[in-house]
Amino acid sequence: MEIIWYHPSMDPESWLSGLRQRLPQAKVRRWQPDDNAPADYAVVRSPPVEMLRGRALKGVFAMGAGVDEILQQLRQHPEMLAAEVPLFRLEDTGMARQMQEYATWCVLGWFRRFADYQRQQQQAHWQQLKPYTRENFTIGILGAGVLGSSVAQSLRQWGFPVRCWSRSAKTLEGVTTFHDRDQLPAFLDGTQVLIDLLPTTPETTNLIDRQLLSGLPQGAYFLNIARGAHVVEDDLLAALNSGQLAAAALDVFQTEPLPAHHPLWSHPHVTITPHNAAITLPHEAMDYIAGAILELEQGQQPTGRVDRQRGY
């Protein structure tokens, strides 16, 4: 069994040795531009077209939950990966808990008005602010997949009303669910905190625009821990400047790294992190990939296979 590995910036040694330990029967190598030798599987992040083109692979594994980069390459270079080659993404592997931590930090901070108190501290101003009521602090999550449903259940434990919107109908315990475009206005109505956990597809690109944000209550909050491609950033800035949004926490952007001159950096009601809401945990990811390869070798179908038409 031959496995090729590629990441544009990561040190390969820990991954190569980790995969070899988990799959001692396999030969694992770092792909180089002149490597045309046969391979059975590929483990990749942002792979060059020539790495995958023409290979009769049994499976390709993305080192992350998102596969939009690979799918974008396939739209431009459909010959890069044959249609019958299965593409897999990391569905959880430790990322769900990280997303829960990030979302809980933001929601509780906004609910307790900690940012408002921090601004008062900077002005040496002592004043108790009117608290929010828990029953009216509705959390709305765009996306009800593995990560979205995990965050929803985590926030339920704090007693907030939680709702989810997804492309197709879902049932989640204790969560009000909405689906399809027709139900999006009802989902937004009354949502005090909007959390984006959607995959990137042609339908979700630029979904969060002026019209969508105007469907939220005045003074709502927005958290994006999914993909920057979902947000029209000029419309987001307009909503923040008008007070339609009270604040936003952003981990992802249309252009990354976020350009130094971008107005989001200095906006007083924006919190920025550098796309680290949930990072790939190598040991958990390698456990999944090794297990999935063994399943494929035994003729089984692992979880995490990407529907290329849907984009996730």
Side-chain angles (χ1 to χ4, degrees):
M1 184 194 307
E2 301 277 346
I3 301 174
I4 49 177
W5 180 96
Y6 177 84
H7 191 290
S9 59
M10 186 181 291
D11 180 6
E13 290 311 312
S14 63
W15 273 85
L16 297 180
S17 62
L19 288 170
R20 288 168 185 149
Q21 289 171 9
R22 290 164 173 81
L23 297 167
Q25 71 274 43
K27 294 181 179 179
V28 187
R29 68 182 187 270
R30 181 185 186 184
W31 180 83
Q32 304 283 358
D34 58 350
D35 181 351
N36 296 312
D40 299 296
Y41 298 97
V43 179
V44 299
R45 175 66 186 269
S46 304
V49 174
E50 59 270 26
M51 177 185 180
L52 303 179
R53 182 168 49 201
R55 291 188 181 275
L57 295 166
K58 299 178 183 178
V60 175
F61 293 87
M63 289 187 280
V67 290
D68 38 294
E69 291 179 347
I70 295 177
L71 295 179
Q72 177 62 29
Q73 287 175 298
L74 282 172
R75 284 190 283 271
Q76 298 172 355
H77 304 279
E79 77 284 1
M80 173 179 165
L81 193 64
E84 64 269 16
V85 177
L87 173 63
F88 297 90
R89 64 185 180 91
L90 304 180
E91 286 191 319
D92 184 351
T93 62
M95 285 184 279
R97 176 166 290 186
Q98 296 176 75
M99 291 293 192
Q100 291 172 8
E101 294 166 348
Y102 197 112
T104 301
W105 170 67
C106 289
V107 169
L108 292 181
W110 289 327
F111 178 65
R112 293 297 303 273
R113 305 193 64 175
F114 289 144
D116 295 326
Y117 284 118
Q118 186 176 34
R119 281 187 285 273
Q120 287 189 175
Q121 177 185 341
Q122 293 167 352
Q123 301 166 9
H125 181 63
W126 180 284
Q127 179 187 351
Q128 291 189 6
L129 300 172
K130 182 180 179 180
Y132 291 112
T133 58
R134 196 174 301 271
E135 60 271 18
N136 292 324
F137 207 74
T138 298
I139 315 300
I141 301 172
L142 290 166
V146 171
L147 298 179
S149 59
S150 173
V151 169
Q153 296 301 338
S154 177
L155 291 171
R156 270 190 64 220
Q157 298 176 31
W158 293 92
F160 298 111
V162 179
R163 56 178 64 168
C164 282
W165 179 87
S166 56
R167 179 181 179 274
S168 56
K170 298 284 180 67
T171 301
L172 300 175
E173 182 182 355
V175 177
T176 305
T177 56
F178 300 80
H179 69 280
D180 208 354
R181 283 275 189 160
D182 292 344
Q183 295 186 13
L184 190 55
F187 162 80
L188 295 170
D189 186 24
T191 291
Q192 191 63 34
V193 178
L194 180 67
I195 301 176
D196 179 20
L197 273 166
L198 288 166
T200 296
T201 68
E203 290 75 26
T204 62
T205 298
N206 294 326
L207 173 69
I208 301 170
D209 59 5
R210 186 184 302 270
Q211 180 179 355
L212 184 143
L213 294 172
S214 69
L216 296 168
Q218 184 81 8
Y221 299 90
F222 174 59
L223 166 60
N224 191 0
I225 45 180
R227 285 292 186 268
H230 301 166
V231 179
V232 179
E233 290 175 352
D234 286 345
D235 290 358
L236 175 62
L237 279 163
L240 287 161
N241 291 333
S242 71
Q244 175 63 24
L245 289 179
L250 309 172
D251 185 58
V252 289
F253 303 89
Q254 290 272 1
T255 301
E256 295 182 4
L258 185 65
H261 64 274
H262 200 290
L264 285 170
W265 276 116
S266 57
H267 199 286
H269 301 294
V270 172
T271 299
I272 288 174
T273 52
H275 202 145
N276 68 339
I279 61 173
T280 299
L281 301 178
H283 291 290
E284 288 84 347
M286 285 187 279
D287 285 345
Y288 159 73
I289 291 170
I293 287 175
L294 291 176
E295 288 183 67
L296 288 170
E297 288 292 296
Q298 295 165 8
Q300 302 173 19
Q301 284 299 314
T303 62
R305 182 166 181 171
V306 173
D307 182 327
R308 296 196 201 178
Q309 296 303 315
R310 289 189 175 186
Y312 58 92

